[in-house]
Amino acid sequence: MTQRADFVDLFLKGQVALVTGASGGIGESAAMTLAALGADARVEPVRQRIAEQGHRVTGWECDIRSRSAIFEMVAGVEREMGPISVLVNNAGIDIPQAALEVTEQAWDDIVGTNLKGMFFCSQAVGRGMTSRRYGQIINLASEMSFVAAPPYSVYAISKAGVAQLTKALAVEWAPANVRVNALA
C-alpha cells in the first residue's frame, strides 16, 4: 500500500462527503477524487463510476436556492449514508449580462445559487459538524471573487460574497474544529 493510501485510510475512509453541483466539471472531479480517497459520496451523475470503485454512493436532486430543499437533502443524506464529514460547495451558475441589462431573475438565480445556496448548505451540515466537533467545508470561489470584468458583474458580486462567507464561517466554527476554506 502506498503512503497516499495510508493517509487516505487514516483520514477519509468511511467518511461521508456531500458534493453540490456534481453533474459535471469541477463537482464531478471532486466527487470522483473524494471517492478515490476513501470517502463515501452523494452524487447522482457519477454514481455508477463511484460504485464501481467499491464505495457507497447515492444521488439527490435539490433546488440549491431553497433552504427547505437543502435541509431536506442533508437530512436524507445523513439518514441514508451517515453523518456528513466533508461538504464541497460547488454548485454555481453564471448568466453573463452587462450591469445595465441585469434582470431581477438573473440576479436572483445567480445570487440564490452561488451565495444563498452555499450559505444554507453550510448551515445545514454545519449543525452536525459543530456538534460532533469535526468537519471540513470547501467552498468553490473564483478569481472573480477578487476582480471584476464585464459582463460578469453579478457573478463577481456573488463570488466576492463566497470569499467573505468562507472567512466568516471559518472564524465562527474554528472553535468547534470545523475547517472552512475556499478554492479560487
Side-chain angles (χ1 to χ4, degrees):
M1 188 174 278
T2 67
Q3 287 183 338
R4 181 175 179 174
D6 292 338
F7 174 84
V8 169
D9 287 344
L10 182 61
F11 290 106
L12 290 177
K13 188 169 184 153
Q15 293 187 36
V16 174
L18 173 61
V19 180
T20 67
S23 62
I26 294 170
E28 180 180 354
S29 294
M32 294 300 297
T33 299
L34 287 165
L37 295 175
D40 294 322
R42 184 168 231 313
V43 52
E44 181 67 34
V46 294
R47 180 166 71 169
Q48 182 64 33
R49 289 174 33 213
I50 292 172
E52 288 170 0
Q53 293 179 9
H55 300 282
R56 293 182 312 140
V57 62
T58 188
W60 199 282
E61 288 187 27
C62 175
D63 181 352
I64 209 75
R65 299 166 300 173
S66 166
R67 182 181 186 271
S68 62
I70 290 166
F71 274 75
E72 181 181 319
M73 172 186 66
V74 168
V77 169
E78 292 194 332
R79 248 189 333 270
E80 190 173 331
M81 306 284 288
I84 296 168
S85 300
V86 178
L87 169 64
V88 178
N89 273 316
N90 172 67
I93 63 165
D94 183 24
I95 304 168
Q97 294 177 329
L100 293 176
E101 305 301 322
V102 172
T103 65
E104 183 175 5
Q105 186 64 54
W107 174 276
D108 290 346
D109 288 345
I110 295 166
V111 174
T113 301
N114 297 358
L115 190 55
K116 176 184 176 183
M118 187 175 291
F119 176 82
F120 286 114
C121 282
S122 297
Q123 183 187 65
V125 301
R127 291 181 192 276
M129 288 178 174
T130 56
S131 70
R132 288 186 303 276
R133 304 194 51 78
Y134 177 78
Q136 302 172 65
I137 297 174
I138 302 163
N139 296 327
L140 270 288
S142 166
E143 66 183 6
M144 297 296 283
S145 299
F146 312 105
V147 298
Y152 304 102
S153 60
V154 180
Y155 180 78
I157 291 164
S158 73
K159 290 301 184 170
V162 168
Q164 189 60 33
L165 168 88
T166 301
K167 293 174 196 175
L169 296 182
V171 169
E172 187 171 335
W173 295 346
N177 198 35
V178 175
R179 293 178 300 216
V180 184
N181 293 286
L183 296 174

